[in-house]
Amino acid sequence: MKKQITLLPGDGIGPEIMESAKEVLQVIAEEFNHDFIFHEHAIGGNAVDAYGEPLPEETLKAAEEGDAILLGAVGGPKWENHPVYQRPEQGLLKIRKSLGLFANLRPIKLIPALIHASPLKEEIVAASDIVIIRELTGGLYFGKPSERRNNGNSVVDTLSYERYEMERIIEKGFETAMSRRKHLTSVDKANVLESSRMWREIVEEKAKNYPEVTVEHVLVDAAAMKLITNPASFDTIVTENLFGDILSDEASVITGSLGMLPSASVREDGLGLYEPIHGSAPDIAGKGIANPLGMILSASFMLRDSFGLEVEANAMEQAVNEALEQGYHTADLDLKDGTLVSTKEMTDVVIGSLSARSISDDICYMYV
Ligand code: NAD
């Protein structure tokens, strides 16, 4: 398989962890006979420095033309006092909106070796395996008007959705549930908001096309509680932009490891932007100690969801699990009796597991 991958390392630790993902992908390409062609472009603060804007036209064009996008992270204190249009995070909002990446997928699965890092009791968090699907390009964050009035004494924000925007994200929810345990939780605030009542109607309509999926409607306040008290009761969650923003951050701390979690922002034709959920970690940038695993898992997410390379994605994820089970960890993870390693060393351990796996596969094959 030949694929063009747009790499957007970004700022802070972004370039360090991107290098790790690239090395692992190169090993996958060699082992499984693929051709991954990487195209690196600027986004965020470094793009502001070089081009005067956080998302240069050539970066957007390259992202649109490639088969998938991998992003490190953007931002840092250097650009905090720039005008809004030159803030690194604007590059991120603009690329999602310009490419029509309307669905944000965040898988939250507990890694057994890290169970002690969760702020929740082990027995509560043990079986957690959730995907949160958040609408990303509509709702309260984009509705107009959004302004101060009466000399700043009143304010209005607008929550608006077109029917098609709700339909496509809800369908994404059902499709995702079908590929998992076939249980969909739709989160809304239908006891108060008209937009939520329309959302709920559409969920009910779509449910008729997916008779195998069990559907439950949960109010957002109840969902926030249940994520903490019984996270294992969820499979696939689908919700609108604001609720998804809050719930996905809440759910991501369940695993207790910010540096480990990937996410994807995708559209109907399969184009996706894959990135770890953490930021650019300016406090540790350049020290070579960042955890590269969230970035590596973002790359495996890309292989599975954009390229359909299930076996290769599983191999990468198994290599990450093995590295942790053997006790290797970066400074952000506290593994009892483990071995503290740098970004580069962690990457090498993952690559070592991958290579060992394929050697043992070869041996099995030889003895069949
Ligand atoms: P952060 O996620 O960058 O860092 C929070 C803490 O977690 C820091 O102590 C950091 O060292 C640590 N950390 C994060 N990722 C790590 C990793 N891979 N390995 C080891 N430790 C890691 O959040 P922040 O400090 O609030 O934000 C820093 C900058 O990142 C800000 O400019 C913010 O706007 C930006 N940001 C960008 C994104 C993105 O690009 N998607 C997301 C969140 C924040």
Side-chain angles (χ1 to χ4, degrees):
M1 184 180 276
K2 185 174 179 178
K3 291 288 177 191
Q4 313 282 341
I5 303 172
T6 310
L7 301 183
L8 308 178
D11 308 315
I13 61 169
E16 300 165 46
I17 56 174
M18 184 63 82
E19 189 53 36
S20 301
K22 195 173 154 186
E23 280 178 33
V24 175
L25 283 172
Q26 274 160 341
V27 173
I28 289 282
E30 281 160 28
E31 302 279 348
F32 292 88
N33 205 16
H34 298 303
D35 192 4
F36 296 146
I37 301 152
F38 300 109
H39 306 271
E40 198 168 307
H41 290 276
I43 193 169
N46 64 87
V48 171
D49 290 349
Y51 300 87
E53 53 180 327
L55 183 67
E57 198 52 44
E58 71 169 60
T59 299
L60 187 58
K61 188 165 177 286
E64 180 68 75
E65 285 170 358
D67 296 306
I69 306 146
L70 272 183
L71 179 108
V74 299
K78 183 179 176 193
W79 304 280
E80 259 164 27
N81 296 323
H82 280 241
V84 172
Y85 76 94
Q86 277 191 335
R87 297 259 176 87
E89 293 75 12
Q90 290 298 317
L92 213 51
L93 294 180
K94 194 173 164 197
I95 195 169
R96 289 173 182 155
K97 186 78 179 168
S98 307
L99 296 178
L101 304 171
F102 68 91
N104 184 253
L105 278 65
R106 193 177 288 193
I108 293 136
K109 189 170 179 177
L110 192 86
I111 294 176
L114 300 178
I115 193 166
H116 64 278
S118 173
L120 301 184
K121 289 187 189 125
E122 292 189 6
E123 63 270 23
I124 288 181
V125 80
S128 300
D129 180 2
I130 309 169
V131 172
I132 299 189
I133 299 170
R134 162 192 170 193
E135 203 290 324
L136 205 56
T137 53
L140 199 57
Y141 293 1
F142 294 94
K144 295 274 184 289
S146 171
E147 62 194 23
R148 296 284 180 97
R149 292 174 179 172
N150 298 334
N151 295 325
N153 291 316
S154 48
V155 65
V156 60
D157 285 308
T158 303
L159 199 177
S160 91
Y161 269 113
E162 295 299 323
R163 171 171 266 271
Y164 80 90
E165 293 178 298
M166 289 189 180
E167 283 182 345
R168 64 185 181 180
I169 191 76
I170 289 166
E171 261 164 31
K172 186 80 192 165
F174 276 104
E175 291 295 333
T176 306
M178 281 298 286
S179 69
R180 292 170 47 88
R181 299 192 301 279
K182 300 187 173 61
H183 182 67
L184 182 67
T185 304
S186 167
V187 173
D188 62 34
K189 189 71 183 168
N191 54 345
V192 178
L193 297 175
E194 196 53 42
S195 56
S196 283
R197 287 191 277 274
M198 179 163 155
W199 172 279
R200 208 177 262 217
E201 276 165 33
I202 296 173
V203 172
E204 288 298 314
E205 279 168 32
K206 297 282 170 201
K208 294 179 189 131
N209 302 331
Y210 299 89
E212 288 173 65
V213 178
T214 55
V215 179
E216 64 171 343
H217 299 281
V218 179
L219 296 174
V220 62
D221 37 350
M225 274 196 290
K226 210 170 152 192
L227 269 173
I228 296 300
T229 53
N230 192 6
S233 69
F234 292 104
D235 170 17
T236 306
I237 297 175
V238 66
T239 190
E240 62 88 58
N241 200 345
L242 170 68
F243 300 158
D245 188 6
I246 297 167
L247 292 183
S248 59
D249 267 17
E250 182 193 359
S252 63
V253 300
I254 289 173
T255 58
S257 43
L258 187 65
M260 294 293 308
L261 291 176
S263 77
S265 304
V266 301
R267 66 185 192 195
E268 285 106 330
D269 66 359
L271 182 72
L273 181 152
Y274 298 82
E275 58 181 319
I277 67 158
H278 60 72
S280 60
D283 52 335
I284 58 164
K287 296 184 179 165
I289 59 170
N291 182 350
L293 299 181
M295 187 77 242
I296 291 172
L297 292 172
S298 301
S300 72
F301 199 175
M302 172 188 76
L303 295 187
R304 179 180 290 110
D305 270 42
S306 277
F307 304 162
L309 296 176
E310 184 74 30
V311 174
E312 290 82 343
N314 285 342
M316 275 172 84
E317 287 156 19
Q318 263 171 30
V320 166
N321 279 339
E322 268 170 38
L324 293 168
E325 270 159 24
Q326 288 163 16
Y328 293 102
H329 68 99
T330 41
D332 55 311
L333 302 176
D334 170 27
L335 256 69
K336 292 179 191 94
D337 306 324
T339 311
L340 181 64
V341 290
S342 66
T343 309
K344 171 86 183 93
E345 288 163 336
M346 193 64 173
T347 310
D348 289 345
V349 172
V350 172
I351 288 174
S353 285
L354 262 179
S355 307
R357 191 203 61 86
S358 65
I359 290 165
S360 68
D361 281 358
D362 286 349
I363 292 167
C364 293
Y365 181 71
M366 280 161 56
Y367 285 93
V368 166

PDB file of all heavy atoms in Angstrom, residues 22-23 40 63 77 87 94 97 105 107 122 139-140 201 203 260 262 271 274 279 286 299 320 333:
ATOM      1  N   LYS A  22       7.290   8.623  13.375  1.00  0.00           N
ATOM      2  CA  LYS A  22       7.806   8.417  12.019  1.00  0.00           C
ATOM      3  C   LYS A  22       8.713   7.189  11.973  1.00  0.00           C
ATOM      4  O   LYS A  22       8.598   6.350  11.074  1.00  0.00           O
ATOM      5  CB  LYS A  22       8.577   9.679  11.615  1.00  0.00           C
ATOM      6  CG  LYS A  22       8.879   9.785  10.149  1.00  0.00           C
ATOM      7  CD  LYS A  22       9.487  11.165   9.899  1.00  0.00           C
ATOM      8  CE  LYS A  22      10.364  11.145   8.677  1.00  0.00           C
ATOM      9  NZ  LYS A  22      11.078  12.396   8.478  1.00  0.00           N
ATOM     10  N   GLU A  23       9.583   7.064  12.973  1.00  0.00           N
ATOM     11  CA  GLU A  23      10.486   5.896  13.009  1.00  0.00           C
ATOM     12  C   GLU A  23       9.692   4.597  13.104  1.00  0.00           C
ATOM     13  O   GLU A  23       9.996   3.623  12.423  1.00  0.00           O
ATOM     14  CB  GLU A  23      11.432   5.998  14.219  1.00  0.00           C
ATOM     15  CG  GLU A  23      12.609   6.929  13.977  1.00  0.00           C
ATOM     16  CD  GLU A  23      13.491   7.039  15.220  1.00  0.00           C
ATOM     17  OE1 GLU A  23      13.610   6.056  15.969  1.00  0.00           O
ATOM     18  OE2 GLU A  23      14.044   8.137  15.432  1.00  0.00           O
ATOM     19  N   GLU A  40       6.461  16.973   5.430  1.00  0.00           N
ATOM     20  CA  GLU A  40       6.420  17.729   6.680  1.00  0.00           C
ATOM     21  C   GLU A  40       6.106  19.207   6.432  1.00  0.00           C
ATOM     22  O   GLU A  40       6.676  19.821   5.534  1.00  0.00           O
ATOM     23  CB  GLU A  40       7.777  17.597   7.375  1.00  0.00           C
ATOM     24  CG  GLU A  40       7.697  17.954   8.831  1.00  0.00           C
ATOM     25  CD  GLU A  40       8.966  17.543   9.581  1.00  0.00           C
ATOM     26  OE1 GLU A  40       9.363  16.368   9.484  1.00  0.00           O
ATOM     27  OE2 GLU A  40       9.530  18.425  10.243  1.00  0.00           O
ATOM     28  N   ALA A  63      -2.247  19.179   3.404  1.00  0.00           N
ATOM     29  CA  ALA A  63      -3.121  18.345   4.236  1.00  0.00           C
ATOM     30  C   ALA A  63      -4.309  17.839   3.417  1.00  0.00           C
ATOM     31  O   ALA A  63      -4.718  16.679   3.548  1.00  0.00           O
ATOM     32  CB  ALA A  63      -3.605  19.141   5.445  1.00  0.00           C
ATOM     33  N   PRO A  77       4.462  29.498  25.516  1.00  0.00           N
ATOM     34  CA  PRO A  77       4.462  30.855  26.081  1.00  0.00           C
ATOM     35  C   PRO A  77       4.960  31.922  25.105  1.00  0.00           C
ATOM     36  O   PRO A  77       4.534  33.070  25.168  1.00  0.00           O
ATOM     37  CB  PRO A  77       5.402  30.741  27.292  1.00  0.00           C
ATOM     38  CG  PRO A  77       6.012  29.393  27.246  1.00  0.00           C
ATOM     39  CD  PRO A  77       5.237  28.545  26.300  1.00  0.00           C
ATOM     40  N   ARG A  87      -2.395  33.287  17.125  1.00  0.00           N
ATOM     41  CA  ARG A  87      -2.186  32.306  18.197  1.00  0.00           C
ATOM     42  C   ARG A  87      -2.077  30.916  17.579  1.00  0.00           C
ATOM     43  O   ARG A  87      -2.833  30.573  16.665  1.00  0.00           O
ATOM     44  CB  ARG A  87      -3.368  32.319  19.171  1.00  0.00           C
ATOM     45  CG  ARG A  87      -3.538  33.632  19.883  1.00  0.00           C
ATOM     46  CD  ARG A  87      -2.983  33.591  21.300  1.00  0.00           C
ATOM     47  NE  ARG A  87      -3.102  34.905  21.899  1.00  0.00           N
ATOM     48  CZ  ARG A  87      -4.187  35.334  22.552  1.00  0.00           C
ATOM     49  NH1 ARG A  87      -5.213  34.529  22.720  1.00  0.00           N
ATOM     50  NH2 ARG A  87      -4.232  36.535  23.060  1.00  0.00           N
ATOM     51  N   LYS A  94      -8.564  26.145  12.616  1.00  0.00           N
ATOM     52  CA  LYS A  94      -8.769  26.428  11.194  1.00  0.00           C
ATOM     53  C   LYS A  94      -8.584  25.176  10.338  1.00  0.00           C
ATOM     54  O   LYS A  94      -9.335  24.960   9.390  1.00  0.00           O
ATOM     55  CB  LYS A  94      -7.803  27.537  10.754  1.00  0.00           C
ATOM     56  CG  LYS A  94      -8.164  28.122   9.413  1.00  0.00           C
ATOM     57  CD  LYS A  94      -7.310  29.333   9.074  1.00  0.00           C
ATOM     58  CE  LYS A  94      -7.433  29.630   7.578  1.00  0.00           C
ATOM     59  NZ  LYS A  94      -6.376  30.490   7.089  1.00  0.00           N
ATOM     60  N   LYS A  97     -11.706  22.993  10.684  1.00  0.00           N
ATOM     61  CA  LYS A  97     -12.876  23.594  10.034  1.00  0.00           C
ATOM     62  C   LYS A  97     -12.690  23.574   8.509  1.00  0.00           C
ATOM     63  O   LYS A  97     -13.597  23.182   7.776  1.00  0.00           O
ATOM     64  CB  LYS A  97     -13.031  25.037  10.548  1.00  0.00           C
ATOM     65  CG  LYS A  97     -14.285  25.740  10.085  1.00  0.00           C
ATOM     66  CD  LYS A  97     -15.515  25.290  10.867  1.00  0.00           C
ATOM     67  CE  LYS A  97     -16.772  26.013  10.412  1.00  0.00           C
ATOM     68  NZ  LYS A  97     -17.994  25.415  10.928  1.00  0.00           N
ATOM     69  N   LEU A 105     -12.895  11.660  17.443  1.00  0.00           N
ATOM     70  CA  LEU A 105     -12.991  10.343  18.090  1.00  0.00           C
ATOM     71  C   LEU A 105     -11.897  10.229  19.148  1.00  0.00           C
ATOM     72  O   LEU A 105     -10.711  10.440  18.844  1.00  0.00           O
ATOM     73  CB  LEU A 105     -12.753   9.227  17.056  1.00  0.00           C
ATOM     74  CG  LEU A 105     -13.924   8.796  16.185  1.00  0.00           C
ATOM     75  CD1 LEU A 105     -14.375   9.908  15.271  1.00  0.00           C
ATOM     76  CD2 LEU A 105     -13.530   7.592  15.349  1.00  0.00           C
ATOM     77  N   PRO A 107     -10.655   7.430  21.781  1.00  0.00           N
ATOM     78  CA  PRO A 107     -10.759   6.137  22.476  1.00  0.00           C
ATOM     79  C   PRO A 107     -10.088   6.238  23.847  1.00  0.00           C
ATOM     80  O   PRO A 107      -9.004   6.806  23.971  1.00  0.00           O
ATOM     81  CB  PRO A 107      -9.958   5.183  21.578  1.00  0.00           C
ATOM     82  CG  PRO A 107      -9.278   6.027  20.552  1.00  0.00           C
ATOM     83  CD  PRO A 107      -9.583   7.465  20.797  1.00  0.00           C
ATOM     84  N   GLU A 122      -9.216   0.911  41.390  1.00  0.00           N
ATOM     85  CA  GLU A 122      -8.886  -0.038  40.321  1.00  0.00           C
ATOM     86  C   GLU A 122     -10.101  -0.840  39.876  1.00  0.00           C
ATOM     87  O   GLU A 122     -10.308  -1.068  38.688  1.00  0.00           O
ATOM     88  CB  GLU A 122      -7.755  -0.974  40.758  1.00  0.00           C
ATOM     89  CG  GLU A 122      -6.437  -0.228  40.916  1.00  0.00           C
ATOM     90  CD  GLU A 122      -5.237  -1.116  41.142  1.00  0.00           C
ATOM     91  OE1 GLU A 122      -5.377  -2.358  41.070  1.00  0.00           O
ATOM     92  OE2 GLU A 122      -4.145  -0.568  41.408  1.00  0.00           O
ATOM     93  N   GLY A 139     -22.420  23.873  16.478  1.00  0.00           N
ATOM     94  CA  GLY A 139     -22.869  24.115  17.854  1.00  0.00           C
ATOM     95  C   GLY A 139     -22.424  25.453  18.410  1.00  0.00           C
ATOM     96  O   GLY A 139     -22.096  26.394  17.680  1.00  0.00           O
ATOM     97  N   LEU A 140     -22.351  25.501  19.717  1.00  0.00           N
ATOM     98  CA  LEU A 140     -22.123  26.761  20.437  1.00  0.00           C
ATOM     99  C   LEU A 140     -20.794  27.443  20.089  1.00  0.00           C
ATOM    100  O   LEU A 140     -20.673  28.659  20.178  1.00  0.00           O
ATOM    101  CB  LEU A 140     -22.172  26.444  21.936  1.00  0.00           C
ATOM    102  CG  LEU A 140     -22.404  27.572  22.922  1.00  0.00           C
ATOM    103  CD1 LEU A 140     -23.693  28.321  22.651  1.00  0.00           C
ATOM    104  CD2 LEU A 140     -22.449  27.013  24.345  1.00  0.00           C
ATOM    105  N   GLU A 201     -34.489  13.201  18.556  1.00  0.00           N
ATOM    106  CA  GLU A 201     -35.370  12.721  17.476  1.00  0.00           C
ATOM    107  C   GLU A 201     -34.557  12.031  16.383  1.00  0.00           C
ATOM    108  O   GLU A 201     -34.932  10.964  15.894  1.00  0.00           O
ATOM    109  CB  GLU A 201     -36.078  13.901  16.796  1.00  0.00           C
ATOM    110  CG  GLU A 201     -37.330  14.392  17.464  1.00  0.00           C
ATOM    111  CD  GLU A 201     -37.724  15.779  16.919  1.00  0.00           C
ATOM    112  OE1 GLU A 201     -37.474  16.076  15.716  1.00  0.00           O
ATOM    113  OE2 GLU A 201     -38.246  16.549  17.721  1.00  0.00           O
ATOM    114  N   VAL A 203     -31.559  10.705  16.606  1.00  0.00           N
ATOM    115  CA  VAL A 203     -31.002   9.439  17.112  1.00  0.00           C
ATOM    116  C   VAL A 203     -32.050   8.339  16.979  1.00  0.00           C
ATOM    117  O   VAL A 203     -31.762   7.230  16.506  1.00  0.00           O
ATOM    118  CB  VAL A 203     -30.532   9.576  18.583  1.00  0.00           C
ATOM    119  CG1 VAL A 203     -30.147   8.219  19.169  1.00  0.00           C
ATOM    120  CG2 VAL A 203     -29.360  10.548  18.696  1.00  0.00           C
ATOM    121  N   MET A 260      -0.525   9.297  26.990  1.00  0.00           N
ATOM    122  CA  MET A 260      -0.781   8.000  26.343  1.00  0.00           C
ATOM    123  C   MET A 260      -1.934   8.009  25.349  1.00  0.00           C
ATOM    124  O   MET A 260      -2.134   7.039  24.644  1.00  0.00           O
ATOM    125  CB  MET A 260      -1.165   6.975  27.415  1.00  0.00           C
ATOM    126  CG  MET A 260      -0.097   6.623  28.397  1.00  0.00           C
ATOM    127  SD  MET A 260       1.254   5.754  27.636  1.00  0.00           S
ATOM    128  CE  MET A 260       0.413   4.450  26.784  1.00  0.00           C
ATOM    129  N   PRO A 262      -4.482   8.857  22.245  1.00  0.00           N
ATOM    130  CA  PRO A 262      -4.595   9.410  20.895  1.00  0.00           C
ATOM    131  C   PRO A 262      -5.984   9.977  20.634  1.00  0.00           C
ATOM    132  O   PRO A 262      -6.915   9.722  21.398  1.00  0.00           O
ATOM    133  CB  PRO A 262      -4.384   8.169  20.022  1.00  0.00           C
ATOM    134  CG  PRO A 262      -5.012   7.070  20.824  1.00  0.00           C
ATOM    135  CD  PRO A 262      -4.816   7.433  22.278  1.00  0.00           C
ATOM    136  N   LEU A 271     -10.538  10.944   5.233  1.00  0.00           N
ATOM    137  CA  LEU A 271      -9.409  11.812   5.594  1.00  0.00           C
ATOM    138  C   LEU A 271      -9.487  12.098   7.089  1.00  0.00           C
ATOM    139  O   LEU A 271     -10.558  12.434   7.606  1.00  0.00           O
ATOM    140  CB  LEU A 271      -9.438  13.134   4.812  1.00  0.00           C
ATOM    141  CG  LEU A 271      -8.244  14.049   5.117  1.00  0.00           C
ATOM    142  CD1 LEU A 271      -6.956  13.505   4.505  1.00  0.00           C
ATOM    143  CD2 LEU A 271      -8.475  15.481   4.645  1.00  0.00           C
ATOM    144  N   TYR A 274      -4.803  12.941  12.999  1.00  0.00           N
ATOM    145  CA  TYR A 274      -4.574  12.116  14.197  1.00  0.00           C
ATOM    146  C   TYR A 274      -3.542  12.809  15.076  1.00  0.00           C
ATOM    147  O   TYR A 274      -2.487  13.235  14.584  1.00  0.00           O
ATOM    148  CB  TYR A 274      -4.097  10.723  13.777  1.00  0.00           C
ATOM    149  CG  TYR A 274      -5.139  10.008  12.936  1.00  0.00           C
ATOM    150  CD1 TYR A 274      -5.247  10.256  11.564  1.00  0.00           C
ATOM    151  CD2 TYR A 274      -6.051   9.134  13.515  1.00  0.00           C
ATOM    152  CE1 TYR A 274      -6.231   9.637  10.801  1.00  0.00           C
ATOM    153  CE2 TYR A 274      -7.033   8.509  12.763  1.00  0.00           C
ATOM    154  CZ  TYR A 274      -7.117   8.767  11.398  1.00  0.00           C
ATOM    155  OH  TYR A 274      -8.098   8.167  10.644  1.00  0.00           O
ATOM    156  N   GLY A 279      -0.941  18.671  25.109  1.00  0.00           N
ATOM    157  CA  GLY A 279      -0.443  19.862  24.438  1.00  0.00           C
ATOM    158  C   GLY A 279       1.054  19.772  24.153  1.00  0.00           C
ATOM    159  O   GLY A 279       1.626  18.673  24.130  1.00  0.00           O
ATOM    160  N   GLY A 286      12.499  19.886  24.438  1.00  0.00           N
ATOM    161  CA  GLY A 286      13.937  19.926  24.167  1.00  0.00           C
ATOM    162  C   GLY A 286      14.763  19.091  25.123  1.00  0.00           C
ATOM    163  O   GLY A 286      15.982  18.972  24.981  1.00  0.00           O
ATOM    164  N   ALA A 299      -0.600   7.312  15.511  1.00  0.00           N
ATOM    165  CA  ALA A 299      -0.210   6.755  14.204  1.00  0.00           C
ATOM    166  C   ALA A 299      -0.892   5.406  13.965  1.00  0.00           C
ATOM    167  O   ALA A 299      -1.337   5.115  12.847  1.00  0.00           O
ATOM    168  CB  ALA A 299       1.309   6.621  14.134  1.00  0.00           C
ATOM    169  N   VAL A 320       3.497  -1.357  22.026  1.00  0.00           N
ATOM    170  CA  VAL A 320       3.414  -0.350  23.096  1.00  0.00           C
ATOM    171  C   VAL A 320       3.063  -1.038  24.431  1.00  0.00           C
ATOM    172  O   VAL A 320       3.701  -0.782  25.462  1.00  0.00           O
ATOM    173  CB  VAL A 320       2.350   0.727  22.738  1.00  0.00           C
ATOM    174  CG1 VAL A 320       1.995   1.574  23.961  1.00  0.00           C
ATOM    175  CG2 VAL A 320       2.851   1.612  21.602  1.00  0.00           C
ATOM    176  N   LEU A 333       5.160   8.809  33.626  1.00  0.00           N
ATOM    177  CA  LEU A 333       4.472   7.611  34.113  1.00  0.00           C
ATOM    178  C   LEU A 333       5.241   7.043  35.293  1.00  0.00           C
ATOM    179  O   LEU A 333       6.469   6.987  35.266  1.00  0.00           O
ATOM    180  CB  LEU A 333       4.404   6.542  33.021  1.00  0.00           C
ATOM    181  CG  LEU A 333       3.709   6.917  31.715  1.00  0.00           C
ATOM    182  CD1 LEU A 333       3.824   5.781  30.721  1.00  0.00           C
ATOM    183  CD2 LEU A 333       2.254   7.271  31.961  1.00  0.00           C
TER     184      LEU A 333
END
